[in-house]
Amino acid sequence: MAGARKPVVEVRRSQRRRRTVSAYRDGERVVVLIPDQFSRAEESEWVDRMLARLAAREGRLARSDAELLTRATRLLDAYLSDYGAQAVPASVRWVTNQNGRWGSCTPADRTIRISHRVQEMPDWVIDYVLLHELAHLIVPSHNAAFWALVARYPKSERARGYLEGIAAAVAVPALTD
């Protein structure tokens, strides 16, 4: 494909690393960390695999506000269509200043903000967070009527469990040797 080129890749081998492979960007370069005992063929295979994973991750991070609004419209049609204009937000956008919550809604001006931390999560989790905030346009509080609206999304319990797991994992201090 024209214009697309493979980035400069630096492979770092480690005698301490046994099975895991990881990769990250360092400026224009991609650093791939592999076990020292990998063959050249395994190295090549894992470099390609990790470049694909990084590209997929970066594609998810590039999700735009416009895509988020399109997603909100789809969710409204599927789960809240009986509320009409009452459930339509004035704006929906990604924000980077919400580190203590997944999303927020201001019913007074009909704005919804979704934390950038959600961008990397599976689509069904993003849909849940977005529907949760859309439901606040109809019911501002977390009462039974609100949770009944959220429960219209078939994966709501699963998504809540996922988010609770992420929150618990982040709150647990790293284990040291």
Side-chain angles (χ1 to χ4, degrees):
M1 123 176 129
R5 59 188 173 103
K6 194 171 183 176
V8 173
V9 177
E10 176 185 335
V11 176
R12 294 183 187 165
R13 292 175 171 268
S14 169
Q15 291 181 350
R16 296 181 69 190
R17 196 174 277 270
R18 296 288 173 227
R19 291 185 305 264
T20 61
V21 177
S22 62
Y24 62 91
R25 280 203 183 277
D26 183 14
E28 293 297 313
R29 178 178 47 159
V30 173
V31 178
V32 180
L33 308 171
I34 64 171
D36 189 45
Q37 72 268 17
F38 273 16
S39 68
R40 293 292 172 203
E42 287 173 311
E43 175 184 313
S44 178
E45 175 188 340
W46 275 102
V47 165
D48 290 343
R49 210 182 275 188
M50 297 311 286
L51 287 174
R53 284 185 190 174
L54 274 176
R57 180 176 185 264
E58 290 166 354
R60 286 192 302 270
L61 290 176
R63 290 177 166 153
S64 67
D65 291 350
E67 185 266 341
L68 197 58
L69 182 58
T70 299
R71 183 181 290 268
T73 302
R74 183 179 44 78
L75 291 167
L76 287 171
D77 291 344
Y79 304 108
L80 302 173
S81 61
D82 49 328
Y83 287 92
Q86 182 182 0
V88 177
S91 70
V92 181
R93 62 191 174 97
W94 296 106
V95 295
T96 58
N97 63 347
Q98 289 187 7
N99 295 314
R101 57 178 61 186
W102 305 116
S104 64
C105 174
T106 306
D109 64 7
R110 312 193 66 67
T111 59
I112 292 175
R113 292 152 312 278
I114 305 297
S115 173
H116 71 285
R117 297 178 309 136
V118 178
Q119 282 180 312
E120 294 184 55
M121 294 182 185
D123 287 342
W124 53 273
V125 176
I126 296 171
D127 286 349
Y128 166 78
V129 172
L130 192 49
L131 186 70
H132 178 110
E133 301 309 331
L134 289 166
H136 278 307
L137 294 174
I138 301 163
V139 181
S141 65
H142 287 109
N143 62 19
F146 169 82
W147 289 112
L149 290 175
V150 173
R152 291 179 177 191
Y153 180 60
K155 295 182 180 175
S156 62
E157 286 303 313
R158 181 179 176 200
R160 286 184 69 185
Y162 182 96
L163 292 168
E164 287 172 7
I166 295 290
V170 169
V172 174
L175 298 175
T176 58
D177 291 345

